[in-house]
C-alpha cells in the first residue's frame, strides 16, 4: 500500500464550487461521495431541463397540426347528412359563442331530415332559425345544452340560411356577429 506523501493532507472541506479537487489535498471517502452526489444532482438537473425542452417542443409541434376530422368538425367545412337505414338523413349542429358547427349542412331534397341541435355550455342564449317557405322549412328553435331533434322534409333544391335571431339592445345581432350558416338542399 502506498503511503501519502507529507505534502498532501486530507481535505477538511471538498472544493465543489468549480468541480475540481485541489492538487495539494487528497479527499477522504465522505468528500468523494459528496462530490459525486453534487455531480449527480447537476447532471439530473440538466437532464430535467432537456426533458422539459423536449416536451415543450412536442406540445408546440402537436398544436401546429390540423385538427383530426373524426374528432372535431371544422366550422368552415361542409357536412353531408347521412341517410340511415330508416331512410332519414341525420346531422348534428352545435351552437355557441356566435358560431354554428358545422356552418354548412348538405341534405337531399324530398328525404326526411332530423337535425340534432344543441348549445355549448355558457350564459348567452341562442336560437336556430331557418325560414324557407318555398322548401317547406320553418324552424325557430331555442338552443339548450341538451340536444333537441328537429324533423322536416325539404321540398325544394336551394341554399337556405340558418342563423341565431338573438340581439341585445343596441349591439349587433348574433347573426351579424357570425352566428349563421347554410342548409343546402341538393338532388
Amino acid at each position: 500500500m502506498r503511503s501519502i506523501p507529507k505534502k498532501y493532507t486530507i481535505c477538511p472541506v471538498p472544493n465543489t464550487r468549480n468541480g475540481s479537487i485541489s492538487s495539494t489535498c487528497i479527499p477522504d471517502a465522505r468528500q468523494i461521495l459528496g462530490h459525486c452526489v453534487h455531480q449527480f444532482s447537476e447532471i439530473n438537473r440538466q437532464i430535467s431541463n432537456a426533458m422539459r425542452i423536449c416536451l415543450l417542443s412536442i406540445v408546440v409541434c402537436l398544436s401546429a397540426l390540423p385538427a383530426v376530422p373524426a374528432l372535431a368538425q371544422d366550422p368552415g367545412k361542409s357536412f353531408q347528412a347521412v341517410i340511415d337505414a330508416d331512410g332519414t338523413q341525420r346531422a348534428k349542429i352545435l351552437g355557441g359563442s356566435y358560431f354554428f358547427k358545422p356552418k354548412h349542412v348538405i341534405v337531399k331534397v324530398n328525404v326526411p331530415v332530423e337535425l340534432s341541435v344543441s348549445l355549448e355550455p355558457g350564459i348567452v342564449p341562442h336560437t336556430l332559425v331557418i325560414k324557407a317557405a318555398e322548401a317547406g322549412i320553418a324552424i325557430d328553435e331555442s338552443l339548450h345544452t341538451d340536444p333537441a331533434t328537429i324533423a322536416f322534409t325539404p321540398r325544394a333544391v336551394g341554399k337556405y340560411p340558418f342563423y341565431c335571431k338573438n340581439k341585445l339592445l343596441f349591439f349587433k345581432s348574433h347573426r351579424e356577429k357570425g352566428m349563421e350558416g347554410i342548409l343546402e338542399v341538393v338532388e
Side-chain angles (χ1 to χ4, degrees):
M1 184 166 175
R2 297 171 82 183
S3 64
I4 300 172
K6 296 257 185 219
K7 66 178 185 173
Y8 293 105
T9 58
I10 302 297
C11 298
V13 178
N15 184 1
T16 57
R17 284 195 179 148
N18 61 7
S20 67
I21 299 174
S22 170
S23 63
T24 59
C25 75
I26 297 175
D28 68 2
R30 289 174 297 185
Q31 292 168 333
I32 292 172
L33 182 61
H35 181 72
C36 289
V37 168
H38 172 75
Q39 290 299 319
F40 178 76
S41 297
E42 181 64 22
I43 290 169
N44 192 26
R45 186 186 63 78
Q46 290 172 356
I47 290 172
S48 295
N49 287 341
M51 288 182 69
R52 283 188 198 107
I53 291 169
C54 270
L55 287 174
L56 182 61
S57 298
I58 290 169
V59 168
V60 168
C61 288
L62 289 177
S63 67
L65 293 175
V68 178
L71 298 177
Q73 292 178 344
D74 182 351
K77 298 282 183 177
S78 298
F79 178 78
Q80 175 76 48
V82 178
I83 300 176
D84 286 341
D86 64 358
T88 302
Q89 304 176 86
R90 290 187 171 80
K92 293 180 181 181
I93 298 177
L94 174 68
S97 299
Y98 312 109
F99 73 85
F100 283 113
K101 287 182 185 177
K103 289 182 81 81
H104 184 201
V105 178
I106 303 168
V107 296
K108 293 187 182 278
V109 68
N110 295 320
V111 178
V113 174
E114 281 187 6
L115 293 179
S116 176
V117 298
S118 61
L119 180 65
E120 73 175 2
I123 59 171
V124 178
H126 295 290
T127 60
L128 176 75
V129 175
I130 306 174
K131 293 181 182 178
E134 63 276 18
I137 305 170
I139 298 169
D140 188 344
E141 184 81 24
S142 292
L143 300 179
H144 305 282
T145 53
D146 292 328
T149 301
I150 302 170
F152 62 94
T153 302
R155 300 287 178 211
V157 172
K159 291 184 178 183
Y160 307 103
F162 60 86
Y163 58 92
C164 177
K165 69 179 182 180
N166 292 0
K167 180 179 181 349
L168 181 63
L169 298 174
F170 303 107
F171 297 100
K172 288 183 178 181
S173 71
H174 294 191
R175 185 178 190 180
E176 291 171 318
K177 290 182 176 186
M179 196 166 181
E180 64 182 338
I182 296 291
L183 175 69
E184 184 175 358
V185 181
V186 297
E187 287 290 334

